[in-house]
């Protein structure tokens, strides 16, 4: 079992469905730009039938940085273009796996 | 009455092809070929769509879910990013399922539990992810004002979720620390079941099968008091055995905690 001290990957949930990756990064980067080494943004969806929050996974270089990130973004309120408020949740990602950096091209 | 004509969805050819591969061609004989075809696709263009289709495991046959897990595995060598996304997505689906507890989503939610178990069998998640999911399933929303909505006493769906996941991969937890963790979990599971009151017969039979397969000699407790005593004993033993380690490692808390509060990250 991974000790919390070694966990580096977090998930930011309940982001506005219409949020874009660049919108999010523009909020993260001023403080954390050089401290994470992987980010995966999962756009949400908002349709007449249902809405799906956006979500982002961030993997930090140092486990301690997670605390500062959580202190900053957990409960942070995002406001969408219509003025609706979305309160972000920051948690450790249930799966701590991140892609291996070696990107071998598939010879197919 | 006037009604506008039903507009059928027109999908781009590439999407149609992905769907054909996954939803009609795929079976145990064609899987090697399907994998080959998937690898030939222009990934930068359709990775998101393939991911979306992989999440529709509930649309296919239940017995075919392991084929999707196998494909995931086959793609891991050259598309590791994709595999990470599949795992994250399944875990998110399971979480959202617990948050919404929609009746109409039940089939999908069971399929996702099965898929997670198969991803464990293909070694794309480790056992701690499985145990965290199991405890999350028992505890999510408990001790909050929403418990009545998310997990009312007469709702046995979460028992089914646990059964499906353990049916899929529980047999691997037969030695070492994962064996111990399953033993512990099954006692907590028993407490959860007893807190529910009278079980429908079909679920009771599935439970009997599950225990017979995984832990044939385990006591099935019949009252809350008995199971609480067993849990107390478990915790004391845990405490005694980890007692000397505590002074070295501060983070030795192995007690399953309520997920809704434990995952909030804080520095102390």
């Amino acid at each position: 079992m991974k000790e919390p001290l070694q966990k580096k990957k977090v998930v930011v949930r309940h982001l506005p469905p219409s949020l874009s990756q660049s919108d999010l990064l523009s909020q993260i980067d001023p403080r954390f730009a050089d401290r994470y080494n992987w980010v995966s943004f999962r756009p949400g969806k908002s349709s007449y039938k249902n809405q799906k929050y956006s979500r982002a996974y961030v993997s930090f270089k140092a486990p301690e940085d997670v605390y500062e990130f959580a202190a900053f973004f957990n409960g942070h309120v995002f406001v969408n273009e219509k003025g609706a408020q979305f309160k972000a949740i920051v948690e450790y990602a249930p799966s701590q796996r991140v892609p291996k950096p070696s990107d071998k091209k598939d010879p197919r | 009455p006037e009604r506008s004509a039903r507009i059928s969805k027109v999908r781009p050819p590439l999407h149609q092809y992905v769907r054909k591969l996954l939803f009609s061609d795929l079976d145990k004989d064609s899987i090697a070929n399907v994998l080959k075809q998937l690898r030939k696709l222009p990934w930068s263009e359709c990775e998101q769509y393939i991911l979306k289709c992989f999440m529709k495991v509930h649309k296919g046959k239940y017995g075919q879910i392991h084929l999707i897990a196998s494909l995931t595995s086959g793609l891991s060598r050259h598309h590791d990013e994709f595999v990470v996304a599949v795992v994250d997505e399944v875990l998110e689906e399971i979480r959202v399922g617990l948050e919404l507890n929609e009746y109409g989503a039940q089939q999908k939610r069971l399929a996702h539990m099965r898929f997670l178990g198969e991803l464990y069998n293909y070694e794309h998640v480790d056992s701690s992810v499985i145990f965290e999911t199991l405890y999350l399933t028992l505890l999510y929303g408990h001790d909050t004002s929403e418990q009545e909505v998310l997990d009312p006493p007469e709702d046995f769906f979460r028992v089914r979720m646990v059964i499906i996941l353990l049916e899929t991969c529980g047999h691997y937890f037969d030695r070492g620390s994962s064996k111990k963790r399953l033993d512990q979990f099954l006692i907590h599971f028993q407490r959860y079941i007893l807190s529910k009151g009278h079980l429908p017969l079909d679920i009771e039979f599935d439970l009997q099968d599950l225990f017979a397969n995984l832990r044939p000699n385990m006591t099935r407790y019949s009252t809350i008091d008995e199971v609480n005593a067993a849990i107390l004993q478990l915790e004391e033993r845990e405490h005694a055995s980890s007692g000397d380690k505590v002074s070295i490692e501060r983070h030795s808390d192995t007690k399953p905690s309520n997920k809704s509060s434990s995952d909030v990250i804080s520095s102390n």
Side-chain angles (χ1 to χ4, degrees), chain B residues 11-33:
Chain B
R11 298 189 171 91
L14 187 60
H15 291 189
Q16 285 180 28
Y17 182 58
V18 171
R19 295 175 70 88
K20 171 181 141 41
L21 286 176
L22 295 176
F23 302 148
S24 49
D25 290 357
L26 182 65
D27 62 34
K28 69 181 193 331
D29 301 315
S30 68
I31 183 164
N33 192 41

Side-chain angles (χ1 to χ4, degrees), chain B residues 17-263:
Chain B
Y17 182 58
V18 171
R19 295 175 70 88
K20 171 181 141 41
L21 286 176
L22 295 176
F23 302 148
S24 49
D25 290 357
L26 182 65
D27 62 34
K28 69 181 193 331
D29 301 315
S30 68
I31 183 164
N33 192 41
V34 169
L35 177 61
K36 217 186 277 174
Q37 300 306 321
L38 282 177
R39 285 177 55 192
K40 285 183 185 169
L41 294 172
W43 272 70
S44 54
E45 257 174 78
C46 60
E47 178 164 356
Q48 292 313 312
Y49 191 72
I50 301 174
L51 179 64
K52 188 176 164 183
C53 292
F54 270 47
M55 288 306 122
K56 296 190 187 290
V57 281
H58 54 289
K59 306 257 168 156
K61 291 199 196 82
Y62 181 75
Q64 294 223 5
I65 294 175
H66 75 277
L67 295 176
I68 298 286
S70 174
L71 283 179
T72 310
S73 204
L75 291 165
S76 65
R77 189 153 165 209
H78 297 287
H79 299 284
D80 200 33
E81 180 110 27
F82 175 76
V83 177
V84 169
V86 168
V87 169
D88 286 339
E89 203 73 29
V90 173
L91 289 163
E92 173 70 13
E93 287 285 345
I94 291 170
R95 171 71 182 268
V96 170
L98 290 165
E99 288 177 345
L100 301 178
N101 197 33
E102 291 170 314
Y103 184 76
Q106 290 197 344
Q107 193 182 350
K108 181 169 96 176
R109 294 174 66 192
L110 292 178
H112 284 140
M113 289 305 259
R114 171 95 187 184
F115 192 24
L116 180 67
E118 296 289 2
L119 288 169
Y120 174 80
N121 296 344
Y122 283 96
E123 301 181 328
H124 292 298
V125 296
D126 46 34
S127 60
S128 63
V129 173
I130 300 296
F131 284 108
E132 276 176 35
T133 304
L134 288 168
Y135 281 111
L136 180 72
T137 305
L138 293 196
L139 297 170
Y140 183 80
H142 280 221
D143 301 322
T144 71
S145 55
E146 290 180 302
Q147 182 164 349
E148 268 302 304
V149 184
L150 295 180
D151 192 24
E154 69 283 359
D155 185 346
F156 296 93
F157 186 67
R158 292 182 179 195
V159 178
R160 280 192 201 285
M161 290 175 69
V162 168
I163 292 174
I164 294 269
L165 184 52
L166 287 177
E167 255 177 15
T168 312
C169 64
H171 51 284
Y172 286 113
F173 305 134
D174 61 346
R175 67 193 73 176
S177 65
S178 61
K179 173 176 187 291
K180 200 170 122 196
R181 291 184 79 186
L182 180 58
D183 288 338
Q184 291 176 350
F185 173 78
L186 287 174
I187 297 179
H188 286 277
F189 186 36
Q190 289 200 45
R191 173 158 69 181
Y192 176 86
I193 294 164
L194 286 169
S195 76
K196 283 274 164 189
H198 203 69
L199 289 173
L201 262 190
D202 57 333
I203 293 185
E204 175 55 34
F205 289 149
D206 286 348
L207 277 172
Q208 284 176 11
D209 287 346
L210 185 76
F211 277 92
N213 286 332
L214 296 179
R215 295 291 185 270
N217 298 322
M218 182 178 249
T219 317
R220 280 283 305 270
Y221 300 99
S222 47
T223 67
I224 280 273
D225 289 345
E226 279 172 32
V227 81
N228 280 340
I231 286 173
L232 206 64
Q233 212 181 8
L234 201 73
E235 282 168 359
E236 276 167 7
R237 219 181 305 143
E238 197 58 31
H239 214 73
S241 69
S242 66
D244 36 19
K245 270 196 277 174
V246 172
S247 50
I248 314 164
E249 292 171 42
R250 270 176 58 241
H251 292 266
S252 61
D253 186 16
T254 51
K255 205 172 116 248
S257 42
N258 190 326
K259 196 73 176 185
S260 43
S261 60
S262 78
D263 255 12

Side-chain angles (χ1 to χ4, degrees), chain A residues 2 6-10 59 92-98, chain B residues 129:
Chain A
K2 288 214 176 57
Q6 280 146 25
K7 290 190 176 182
K8 295 179 194 167
K9 178 176 164 187
V10 299
S59 181
Y92 283 117
S95 166
Q96 285 290 306
R97 194 168 284 203
V98 295
Chain B
V129 173

Side-chain angles (χ1 to χ4, degrees), chain A residues 8-48:
Chain A
K8 295 179 194 167
K9 178 176 164 187
V10 299
V11 55
V12 190
R13 306 178 68 244
H14 290 204
L15 294 169
S18 57
L19 193 77
S20 72
Q21 175 159 352
S22 54
D23 288 344
L24 181 67
L25 289 183
S26 71
Q27 305 231 24
I28 293 180
D29 282 348
R31 266 168 176 257
F32 299 97
D34 49 349
R35 289 194 265 174
Y36 63 85
N37 45 21
W38 178 75
V39 64
S40 171
F41 182 73
R42 318 286 324 145
K45 200 170 86 181
S46 133
S47 68
Y48 177 70

